[in-house]
Amino acid sequence: MLPEAAATAAIRADRTAGPTSLYVHVPFCIRRCAYCDFATAPYDADSARAYVPRLLTELGRVPRDAPMRTVYFGGGTPTALEERELELLLAAVRDRIAPQPGFEWTCEANPESVTPAKAALLRAHGVDRVSLGAQSFQPSVLAALGRDHAPDHVFRALDVLRAAGFSRLTLDLMFAAPGESVADLERDLATLDALRLDHVSAYCLTYETGTPLTRMRAEGRVTPQDDDAELVQYRLVRQRLAAAGLAHYEISNYARRGEESRHNLVYWRGEEYFGLGLGAGSYEHGTRRTTTRLLSQYLGDWDGSPWPPHEAETLDPAAKARERVILGLRLRAGIDPHEFTRERGGALADLYRDDELESLRRRGLLESREGRLRLTDRGLELADEVFVELV
Ligand code: SF4
């Protein structure tokens, strides 16, 4: 069995008992990055103080002593909260859940927001993994991305986190930023190698609708990298991280054996999870919901419900099965067709017209390996196109 498949199997939720994973969104950021289209809000102390009690109301949906395999605090910047709010939230979650063997609790942080006091708070309440938004170690790349920190902040944050007892640390890296050269990326990858981390997420910059960076591109003020340059950088990332001992286990994620993100594997396996907070997605008891992205609505009146304003969607079985295929193909382990049939009550091949999967195989984009269906290396590079065909 491929290592990432073993890790995936180890965290498989008991589907009859409801979600065993919890996502908590903290939207506040000191400054908005130029490329960001996440559900964020500018940090102000009053909004943050009003926000945490709303999260605690939502936490009421999670049964008391719910068996929990993973918790993930994402954002925004959870560590932008003041210590008092952060402690309130950490304690409420810790007291609500019953951690299961292999439990993982991740918190995202931005380098400039990591202080010894906040790191100690996280550790004391059971957080055992921190995801640091580094993005680059090159000042020119950080400036092009509109990031609010300098490379030194990342090194300082890592020192503070390690001193607080964190051994599971992961960094986000972004590549193909405007003006970023291959030499810039080489330097970033050499720095990552020297940091000896067990997990890295590496994303190709995307120009999302409505972001400042996309507007700057439309106005001709930034020039995006072309497809060939993006591909060169993607290949370099894969090659260097593999050489550093980090196995490529998902389109954008690399880890030493056993250090995969157990929480994100829940999403890629199509399993259920509670999702709390502004703009948060949840998948509870067969229904997906997406909470409002408007902070004023989230902080407003909820009509006495434990649900903030949201949109709900129940996928029909075929749509759910196709979504499962696409999520599963994001993993280098791919999909076990027999397991898929057992879980979904129908064969993988029945979802698609006779020649659809075969055509992707003939074009060298899909392959079978160790009895599993997965993207080839070329399929990884063209994953968006493959997914459009499969959806
Ligand atoms: S720190 Fe993250 S969430 Fe906040 S603005 Fe930047 S990219 Fe968005």
Side-chain angles (χ1 to χ4, degrees), residues 14-306:
D14 174 353
R15 289 169 190 281
T16 59
T20 54
S21 287
L22 168 65
Y23 175 78
V24 179
H25 190 78
V26 179
F28 304 106
C29 289
I30 303 298
R31 193 177 96 179
R32 194 169 173 84
C33 306
Y35 57 90
C36 178
D37 83 330
F38 298 132
T40 66
Y43 178 81
D44 84 82
D46 288 343
S47 299
R49 282 183 204 131
Y51 185 82
V52 170
R54 289 304 166 107
L55 281 179
L56 302 192
T57 304
E58 280 204 80
L59 188 61
R61 293 204 312 273
V62 178
R64 207 167 282 287
D65 296 323
M68 206 57 68
R69 291 169 191 269
T70 66
V71 175
Y72 195 104
F73 279 17
T77 313
T79 43
L81 292 177
E82 289 175 349
E83 284 159 36
R84 204 180 71 92
E85 267 68 43
L86 188 59
E87 182 161 25
L88 199 63
L89 182 57
L90 289 162
V93 169
R94 183 202 58 200
D95 293 346
R96 190 82 190 172
I97 60 170
Q100 299 300 292
F103 178 72
E104 170 189 276
W105 188 344
T106 305
C107 182
E108 288 181 354
N110 271 332
E112 73 282 14
S113 67
V114 175
T115 63
K118 288 182 186 175
L121 265 185
L122 296 174
R123 198 73 195 103
H125 286 78
V127 175
D128 63 350
R129 185 172 181 269
V130 175
S131 172
L132 207 56
Q135 315 309 346
S136 176
F137 302 98
Q138 313 311 309
S140 61
V141 175
L142 291 172
L145 295 172
R147 297 285 299 179
D148 206 15
H149 61 87
D152 275 355
H153 286 114
V154 180
F155 305 127
R156 204 177 311 146
L158 287 171
D159 287 345
V160 166
L161 291 164
R162 284 180 169 137
F166 286 99
S167 57
R168 297 192 74 204
L169 297 167
T170 173
L171 284 193
D172 281 359
L173 175 80
M174 193 160 275
F175 58 92
E180 181 174 8
S181 65
V182 170
D184 287 328
L185 182 59
E186 296 251 18
R187 281 191 288 272
D188 275 351
L189 292 164
T191 303
L192 275 178
D193 190 19
L195 290 173
R196 305 293 301 154
L197 296 164
D198 291 331
H199 190 285
V200 170
S201 302
Y203 303 98
C204 182
L205 175 67
T206 52
Y207 291 76
E208 304 290 350
T209 309
T211 62
L213 199 62
T214 300
R215 278 195 295 281
M216 286 158 74
R217 182 182 67 173
E219 292 161 3
R221 291 197 284 141
V222 297
T223 308
Q225 307 261 353
D226 63 27
D227 290 350
D228 289 344
E230 285 183 0
L231 188 57
V232 165
Q233 296 204 9
Y234 180 60
R235 288 177 175 169
L236 185 64
V237 166
R238 290 192 65 203
Q239 181 202 336
R240 289 298 157 81
L241 293 180
L246 299 173
H248 192 189
Y249 75 99
E250 191 271 348
I251 289 180
S252 305
N253 285 280
Y254 304 78
R256 284 185 220 289
R257 192 185 183 95
E259 289 301 323
E260 297 84 359
S261 164
R262 293 170 214 159
H263 184 84
N264 288 337
L265 283 168
V266 166
Y267 301 143
W268 299 319
R269 296 264 335 158
E271 293 172 358
E272 296 201 340
Y273 51 94
F274 297 103
L276 320 182
L278 187 79
S282 62
Y283 185 23
E284 300 176 25
H285 307 291
T287 302
R288 288 185 190 286
R289 291 182 180 81
T290 309
T291 296
T292 178
R293 288 173 68 114
L294 287 176
L295 186 64
S296 57
Q297 261 191 346
Y298 188 83
L299 295 179
D301 184 8
W302 297 1
D303 297 331
S305 151

Side-chain angles (χ1 to χ4, degrees), residues 309-378:
H310 66 271
E311 288 183 359
E313 174 191 28
T314 305
L315 295 179
D316 67 59
K320 203 187 277 183
R322 276 195 289 270
E323 182 190 81
R324 171 74 185 81
V325 171
I326 287 164
L327 289 170
L329 287 177
R330 294 188 64 90
L331 293 168
R332 294 306 287 133
I335 299 164
D336 178 340
H338 301 297
E339 189 181 293
F340 183 90
T341 302
R342 265 197 316 278
E343 285 178 5
R344 301 290 155 185
L348 189 55
D350 297 343
L351 268 184
Y352 298 101
R353 287 197 311 272
D354 287 349
D355 59 346
E356 273 175 320
L357 294 179
E358 213 31 61
S359 154
L360 288 166
R361 273 188 220 273
R362 274 199 307 275
R363 284 182 280 150
L365 303 174
L366 274 185
E367 65 180 359
S368 291
R369 183 166 167 235
E370 295 182 21
R372 302 178 71 93
L373 183 71
R374 65 173 218 164
L375 293 174
T376 60
D377 283 356
R378 186 64 185 144

